[in-house]
């Protein structure tokens, strides 16, 4: 709601036509606060379910986390680098970022 407060201080209001919300009115401001609160609630519930799911998978020994993409290609990066291929081209060929190429070459 910081954005709404900043806009109100500048004398600007928000009007959402398809929802019938106008922040220039008390009712519109209340509706905007309610919609924001519901969105925040939904987001927090989704994150909570995600955490519970991850904890359950870890307890069952199934959760491995995200697989490293660039680190798994370290051997390929080093091989191409020894062949004289430029880091930009290595990144393009392997589908990783240039920064990842440099990380693989450092370690």
């Amino acid at each position: 709601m910081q954005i709404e407060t900043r806009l109100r201080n500048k004398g600007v209001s928000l009007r959402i036509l398809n929802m019938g919300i106008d922040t220039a009115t008390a009712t519109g401001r209340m509706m905007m606060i309610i919609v924001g609160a519901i969105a925040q609630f939904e987001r927090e519930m989704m994150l909570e379910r995600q955490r519970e799911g991850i904890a359950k998978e870890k307890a069952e020994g199934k959760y491995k986390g995200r697989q490293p993409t660039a680190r798994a290609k370290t051997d390929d990066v080093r091989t191409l680098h020894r062949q004289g291929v430029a880091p930009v081209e290595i990144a393009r060929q392997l589908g990783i970022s240039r920064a990842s190429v440099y990380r693989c070459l450092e370690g």
Side-chain angles (χ1 to χ4, degrees):
M1 287 297 145
Q2 293 174 355
I3 294 172
E4 191 270 332
T5 302
R6 285 179 33 208
L7 291 174
R8 192 168 4 112
N9 289 340
K10 291 181 179 186
V12 177
S13 65
L14 174 67
R15 187 181 299 168
I16 304 173
L17 299 176
N18 65 347
M19 293 180 73
I21 296 175
D22 182 0
T23 61
T25 66
T27 304
R29 284 190 296 277
M30 181 192 70
M31 288 301 297
M32 188 62 125
I33 290 169
I34 290 171
V35 168
I38 292 170
Q40 182 178 352
F41 171 75
E42 285 293 323
R43 175 76 177 146
E44 289 174 5
M45 290 299 295
M46 189 257 329
L47 291 173
E48 186 177 314
R49 287 190 299 270
Q50 182 181 19
R51 282 189 297 272
E52 289 171 358
I54 290 171
K56 179 183 173 197
E57 293 292 311
K58 281 183 179 180
E60 295 173 1
K62 296 179 184 177
Y63 184 78
K64 306 290 185 226
R66 186 174 78 79
Q67 296 297 316
T69 53
R71 296 285 182 175
K73 298 178 182 182
T74 298
D75 293 336
D76 297 333
V77 169
R78 290 182 178 160
T79 300
L80 289 170
H81 188 258
R82 278 193 296 275
Q83 294 172 358
V85 180
V88 174
E89 182 59 22
I90 294 171
R92 190 189 65 71
Q93 285 183 24
L94 298 179
I96 60 177
S97 72
R98 194 180 66 209
S100 294
V101 171
Y102 289 116
R103 262 193 305 276
C104 289
L105 293 174
E106 286 174 359

